[in-house]
Amino acid sequence: MGILSSMYTGITGLQGQGEALAIYGDNIANANTAGFKVSRPEFQDVVAKSLKGLLGGNQIGRGTRLAGVNPIFSQGSIVQTESSTDLAIMGDGFFSLNGIDGASYTRNGSFHFDKDGKLINSDGYRVQGFQADDKGKVTSKMGDISVDRTVVDAKKTSDVNMFMNLDLRADKTMEFDPQHPEQTSHFGTGATVYDTAGTAHIITMYFNKTDDGVWTWRAMAKGEEVVGGQKDTMVEQARGKLMFDTDGRLKEQTTDKSSFQFNKGALPDQEIHFNFGEDKAHGGQGLAVTQYGTHSEAYKTSQDGYTAGTLAGMTFNDDGMLAAIYTNGQNVNLAQIALAKFENPEGLFKMGQNRYRESRLSGQPTIGAPQSGGRGQVSSKTIESSTTDIANEFINLMTAQRNFQANSKVISTSDEMMQEVLNLKRT
């Protein structure tokens, strides 16, 4: 009888709208859940029979059913925080986690370091990334992101780069006296270098014009800092020549010797290469060190050595690179955040705890670096907020409530009609 079947039709509406209320309620409950993505119910109609069979037409519906709960992976708002380990993805991709139940994925970047120096989420799942080698170069090796190098070893100086001008007008008859270098040189400038033990030494570079377009340079160290030296004296450790063309550009540079004999435990015969820029003999422009008719002046001096340092802090950049900052001023790359991309993220299996797992519908993840292969950008000191729109969810709640009431009216009306049928026997 149609009256009886209509009651079951109303029941399917009550069930469907009740499930919709649960979905909308879950969206509202997670309005403050970082990285949460709202879901929406998707219904399908149910057909009980067709009066004309396969010919079509005259088909009687028997209500509705919940066909699926579809998460909507839209971009959430980016909120600034004070923690350097808080990360947000702007674009496609998921953070990759590893824990007791295997690999999982999340958009919630509320991370921190545990007592073992591993980057974890609030439930202790370890964040995965690409490891860096001892020189800070990121490799393709995947693993737990961790801080293992709390101390960075000292590095001896191997190269010193100098940028300056030497006065063309200098008198070439001045003779250099190593006992009185300040008074017998045309120009002097200092540079800090490090020995093999990481001890800093201030050396002085002296320049003397020996002929037109020809200068001799000497690197001298304090006597008390070198083997066999005496206090309050300067000892020559390196020497070379600079040749300039008539345009004042560096034509050629040579090094006659470079052997630093620092004491107090440093290895002997430390060779330091003094680089005065690309000279014209080697295809350069010869503009790092020039000989113009202006006062001699050093513009910049740099070198590649440093002393030992301890870990002072850590930071992420927009490439998801974790860099350790040490007390000696060195920044060393430790790892790079790995992002997983799915062809069908809506098909991921929800595990709770803001985590997802790969499913047959989602496909396998493609893991790579941020801003590559269509993956998004990683931002430090930020968190992606929930995509819940409270106003929109309230509208959905009211709509579901009215639909629930309407379906209950179908049942009550069917019940009244059934009562009329039962009353026929009494009359």
Side-chain angles (χ1 to χ4, degrees), residues 4-26:
L4 184 62
S5 62
S6 64
M7 296 184 69
Y8 288 102
T9 301
I11 290 175
T12 64
L14 293 181
Q15 292 174 338
Q17 296 308 316
E19 290 169 332
L21 285 170
I23 295 170
Y24 298 141
D26 179 63

Side-chain angles (χ1 to χ4, degrees), residues 48-88:
K49 63 180 180 179
S50 175
L51 300 181
K52 293 185 178 181
L54 296 178
L55 296 177
N58 295 323
Q59 294 172 289
I60 301 176
R62 284 296 178 261
T64 185
R65 72 182 184 90
L66 184 64
V69 181
N70 185 33
I72 302 174
F73 283 91
S74 59
Q75 178 69 52
S77 300
I78 304 300
V79 180
Q80 298 292 325
T81 69
E82 296 299 323
S83 175
S84 61
T85 55
D86 283 345
L87 303 175

Side-chain angles (χ1 to χ4, degrees), residues 115-117 146-153 308-314 324-328 332 334:
K115 61 183 179 63
D116 298 320
S146 61
V147 180
D148 301 324
R149 285 174 276 178
T150 56
V151 177
V152 63
D153 295 334
T310 57
L311 184 65
M314 288 165 291
I325 304 173
Y326 296 91
T327 53
N328 59 0
V332 180
L334 302 179

